[in-house]
Amino acid sequence: GNSVTQMEGPVTLSEEAFLTINCTYTATGYPSLFWYVQYPGEGLQLLLKATKADDKGSNKGFEATYRKETTSFHLEKGSVQVSDSAVYFCALLYNFNKFYFGSGTKLNVKP
Amino acid sequence: EAQVTQNPRYLITVTGKKLTVTCSQNMNHEYMSWYRQDPGLGLRQIYYSMNVEVTDKGDVPEGYKVSRKEKRNFPLILESPSPNQTSLYFCASSFELANTGELFFGEGSRLTVL
């Protein structure tokens, strides 16, 4: 079946540190991959996406590359800010109608 | 303002008492879906709807029903709630999901079943 596995948190970093949150997936066919972010008390919102192998999604300084050979979609940011503190979810869209989410990784950024 | 509205936001109920969580979107989106969020499990899809009168099961549909009689509304029905349905529920909608993959989420409904 389809599934998404991401690193457990929480991840605690100092401001301006480098961030990596690992995500791997299992899927049949060619899913689209996403990172969603959830700020406290809110619903999720799309951060970035990639629809095919070797695509790089980017937004607000975050990046992730769709690696089919390693079935991975790791999230990176070169310099995190306190305002990046949130829960990050890796997700895949299968058959253009079913979403599968990872368990979420909480990021705490300290000043 | 474009939004997805869920009601109620918080509810405490008892086992077996039927309840409905409403979801409404004002963006003319064709795709709508329901998720539950549980610690350590992330979001799991309950049901989704590609358009009016078209619904299908997600990963965890047991104990839930949905209907899509109008484009804007997609209520989630718990006919006989049980304690294992205590969770945080999110409704989401999308325009051209196949192209954008972008879901617009409501603020969530926290349900406790005693």
Side-chain angles (χ1 to χ4, degrees), chain B residues 60-65 77-81 85:
Chain B
V60 288
E62 295 79 18
Y64 305 95
K65 286 174 59 177
I77 303 157
L78 286 73
E79 293 271 3
S80 182
Q85 293 178 297

Side-chain angles (χ1 to χ4, degrees), chain B:
Chain B
E1 181 190 350
Q3 58 187 2
V4 178
T5 304
Q6 299 178 222
N7 279 297
R9 295 287 313 282
Y10 302 91
L11 179 64
I12 300 174
T13 188
V14 296
T15 299
K17 186 175 181 183
K18 180 180 178 179
L19 68 92
T20 299
V21 185
T22 63
C23 174
S24 180
Q25 50 92 7
N26 62 1
M27 296 170 279
N28 202 36
H29 286 172
E30 292 185 345
Y31 180 93
M32 297 186 74
S33 56
W34 276 102
Y35 302 84
R36 58 178 291 173
Q37 183 177 18
D38 301 291
L41 297 176
L43 275 78
R44 293 178 292 168
Q45 192 173 40
I46 302 171
Y47 270 94
Y48 64 94
S49 170
M50 300 298 288
N51 212 329
V52 176
E53 303 291 2
V54 181
T55 63
D56 210 343
K57 296 177 181 179
D59 255 7
V60 288
E62 295 79 18
Y64 305 95
K65 286 174 59 177
V66 293
S67 68
R68 187 89 182 274
K69 294 186 172 61
E70 314 166 84
K71 200 172 192 178
R72 64 184 292 126
N73 296 322
F74 191 46
L76 180 69
I77 303 157
L78 286 73
E79 293 271 3
S80 182
S82 62
N84 65 10
Q85 293 178 297
T86 292
S87 187
L88 177 60
Y89 291 86
F90 286 101
C91 179
S93 69
S94 180
F95 178 70
E96 292 189 355
L97 184 68
N99 288 330
T100 68
E102 182 166 12
L103 290 170
F104 292 84
F105 282 82
E107 293 182 306
S109 296
R110 187 168 291 282
L111 171 66
T112 301
V113 183
L114 302 176

